[in-house]
Amino acid sequence: MIKILTQSTQFKEIKDFFEEIGQISLFTTRFFREAVNPPVEWKELFRQCYIIGNQSLFLVTVTGFIMGLVLTLQVRPTMLEFGAESYMPSMVGISIIREIGPMITALICAGKIGSSMGAELGSMKVTEQIDAMEVSGTNPFKYLVVTRVLACTLMLPLLVIAADTVGLLGSFFIEYTKGAVTPVLFFNKVFMTIEFGDLLPSTIKSFFFGLVIGIVGCYKGYTSKKGTAGVGTAANSAVVVASLMVFLVDLIAVLAADIFYDL
Amino acid sequence: MIKPTNILSNHPKIEKGKALIEIRDVQKSFGDNHVLRGFNLDLYEKENLVIVGKSGSGKSVLIKCFVRLVEMDSGSVKVLGKEISELGQKELDELRTEVGFLFQGSALYDSMTVRENLEFPLRRHPDKLRGEKVEDLVIEALESVGLAHAIDLMPAELSGGMKRRIALARTIILRPKIILYDEPTSGLDPITSKEIIQLILDIQQKYNTASLIITHDMDCARVISNRMVILRDGINYAEGTYAELVQLKDPKVQAFFK
């Protein structure tokens, strides 16, 4: 009896998992359909771009700076041991721009923006604000979801650029204080190493990071149920699922970059 | 099958005008829970029709079917002569501007000020401006509910009664022909409830709207209604004026008046 119950619970969980994947796919399809259909909610889109960029910029730059400091501090002794100190700027530059900058920024945004979208839309859902928008003859999906997802998709690459820049400054700070490297030498080394094949894939994957964070955050909020408890669940699962999706997108992006640019 | 409506219904004594909403055999289920089992109703011009029913009897589901916030399983809902299940999104949005909806929890957009809450529907439907300025219409709507001074406040700064009044102002700003009220007095103290009831009557007089009010507040029903429908077991169980229904001997009807 217990075994049967366990099996049925497991079956339900698997069924729910695939159902959720189906629902997210439909939600994403609807997003693309609504996004290309005029009119565009420009005012709300710019407002969301400002909110997402402005709210996350400080956190992203502080984290980026610390990331540059820590990476340099951790790697420096090993590089010294092999007499490869002169490769420090190149190594740090490649690491930050290809992988660490986009990933750290995306994970911070998954936490901050994903949870904020999940909670805000979830709260609007349970307090019938989304219904109120609908009965006033406004398309709430276009107004609330499309603008947020687009804003997230557009702003994330900009935040990644900010994090990369500040991360390199953090790395330079350590190199300057410990190794007495001049700014010109440090940044020359960095930019001589970085190629088009480093910048393009990381920029493209940043757009996709923004897209999945926006889609998951909005989906969780827009479809939240069970009252105020559902709002907390929506915010929480938005962060968890968005973070997992960021890793998945990163894996796909690295595999694709490996094929196209022979990393 | 016994149809209690046929047994208990009384002919309303108000003069029937044109039917603005016509509902025929509406059915709605959530899994095994059959909420509506063939509901029928007409709402006439300038009428205040009250639907009463126990909590969980499907009153809110019913009212949401009228504006397709909830899709019915079967049946027919005609609003202003249009079958709503056959409307495309654009036509439905246009129709929705003719039907105001006051939500139970007010549903004010809490990231916007009172002014922005009222401007929101107007900016989306500039054809509804009737040659007037947005600012003037917002102030007029707020004056109708006696809260012109609250124009720059955020919803979080308002009391429950004030929220309900602002939500009412937002509902009337597009000058709808029909207003649907979902529990307009729930969660309010008796004095504020009376104020809201009076406001509903004033607005109906001023804007000549037809109102459909969902409630389980019998005081509200007594004061507002021209006609009442009792929703029970998913059907319109009894129908008539308040005075007619209160005299019925049926225990299921009497339960509402005791």
Side-chain angles (χ1 to χ4, degrees), chain A residues 119-215:
Chain A
E120 189 184 7
L121 294 188
S123 162
M124 288 185 79
K125 178 84 177 174
V126 301
T127 55
E128 296 182 309
Q129 290 176 52
I130 292 179
D131 286 346
M133 212 168 263
E134 202 163 344
V135 294
S136 73
T138 302
N139 180 346
F141 194 93
K142 207 175 196 30
Y143 187 81
L144 298 170
V145 175
V146 173
T147 53
R148 277 166 174 77
V149 177
L150 279 180
C152 196
T153 310
L154 295 173
M155 294 314 288
L156 212 101
L158 298 180
L159 290 169
V160 167
I161 291 169
D164 288 352
T165 310
V166 180
L168 289 174
L169 284 174
S171 173
F172 165 71
F173 180 74
I174 295 295
E175 280 294 291
Y176 181 73
T177 49
K178 294 222 169 191
V181 177
T182 64
V184 175
L185 180 62
F186 181 87
F187 286 104
N188 261 343
K189 281 265 185 190
V190 170
F191 289 112
M192 276 170 68
T193 320
I194 295 167
E195 292 173 355
F196 189 66
D198 300 312
L199 278 173
L200 191 67
S202 74
T203 309
I204 292 173
K205 79 177 172 188
S206 303
F207 278 106
F208 282 99
F209 287 160
L211 182 70
V212 293
I213 292 167
I215 290 278

Side-chain angles (χ1 to χ4, degrees), chain A residues 215-236:
Chain A
I215 290 278
V216 171
C218 287
Y219 168 77
K220 290 290 178 183
Y222 203 78
T223 57
S224 73
K225 289 172 189 150
K226 296 173 187 169
T228 46
V231 178
T233 310
N236 185 28

